[in-house]
Amino acid sequence: PVVLAGHINALRNAFAAKGRARTDAKVRVGIRPAEGHDLDAVLASSKAVVEAGADVLEFIVSAWCKTEADLPGFFAKLAAWGDSLR
């Protein structure tokens, strides 16, 4: 996240240097499963990505859910995590 924050800041500074609002530079980060597919661990570490300046975190459902039965738990965890950021 520290390296990401530096890149995001540089991007937003470049926007500002051209007369655009720093907030015009939107940053999307794809969050992929690591070994073990531990969504709880990934969500805990993803807070640092948000704090680094990412505007959108993208969780590809098919990468996290292998069956239809996995969907409710996945979305419930994402919603609770999102609520915890507010």
Side-chain angles (χ1 to χ4, degrees):
V2 173
V3 172
L4 180 62
H7 292 304
I8 292 171
N9 193 45
L11 174 66
R12 292 189 170 143
N13 287 341
F15 270 56
K18 295 294 182 179
R20 295 184 64 184
R22 288 174 50 85
T23 55
D24 285 349
K26 301 298 181 198
V27 176
R28 178 191 318 235
V29 176
I31 306 296
R32 305 292 185 263
E35 194 173 317
H37 281 94
D38 186 347
L39 181 58
D40 294 319
V42 169
L43 291 174
S45 66
S46 292
K47 184 174 184 193
V49 175
V50 173
E51 291 169 349
D55 298 292
V56 176
L57 273 62
E58 180 178 42
F59 292 81
I60 305 293
V61 176
S62 61
W64 290 95
C65 300
K66 299 305 177 197
T67 69
E68 184 179 335
D70 296 333
L71 294 171
F74 172 76
F75 287 119
K77 286 183 180 187
L78 278 184
W81 177 77
D83 290 345
S84 75
L85 297 176
R86 296 186 187 140

